[in-house]
């Protein structure tokens, strides 16, 4: 699973397309901010996260929480 975190839908769409061009078999999860990303990390356990650290609402904290234990 791959988590894409960005507050701009167009940026998430663009990254999703690039990932799917490389390998369409990946499950892609999206979050519009760090708070949503934290929740998705806790419940869906993505293996890889793409995020924009300047995104509002807990961007840096999200990256720490989403790291595997």
């Amino acid at each position: 699973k791959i988590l894409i975190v960005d507050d701009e839908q167009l940026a998430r769409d663009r990254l999703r397309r690039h990932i799917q061009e490389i390998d369409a078999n990946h499950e892609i999860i999206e979050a519009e901010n760090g708070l949503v990303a934290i929740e998705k990390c806790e419940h869906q356990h993505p293996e890889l996260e793409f995020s924009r650290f300047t995104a509002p609402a807990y961007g840096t904290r999200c990256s720490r929480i989403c790291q595997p234990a």
Side-chain angles (χ1 to χ4, degrees):
K1 293 180 192 173
I2 297 173
L3 173 63
I4 300 172
V5 186
D6 198 301
D7 59 329
E8 295 182 29
Q9 182 65 52
L10 289 175
R12 293 194 310 269
D13 291 345
R14 191 176 317 121
L15 185 52
R16 175 186 283 275
R17 279 194 307 274
H18 287 307
I19 293 168
Q20 289 175 333
E21 285 173 5
I22 295 167
D23 186 345
N25 295 319
H26 288 292
E27 179 181 350
I28 299 174
I29 306 162
E30 294 185 21
E32 62 273 12
N33 62 50
L35 289 175
V36 174
I38 290 168
E39 180 179 311
K40 293 196 178 201
C41 283
E42 290 173 345
H43 293 94
Q44 298 185 35
H45 310 289
E47 290 84 30
L48 182 62
E49 172 197 353
F50 289 99
S51 63
R52 190 174 70 166
F53 286 103
T54 57
Y58 300 93
T60 323
R61 181 174 176 223
C62 165
S63 293
R64 279 189 240 119
I65 289 174
C66 288
Q67 290 180 0

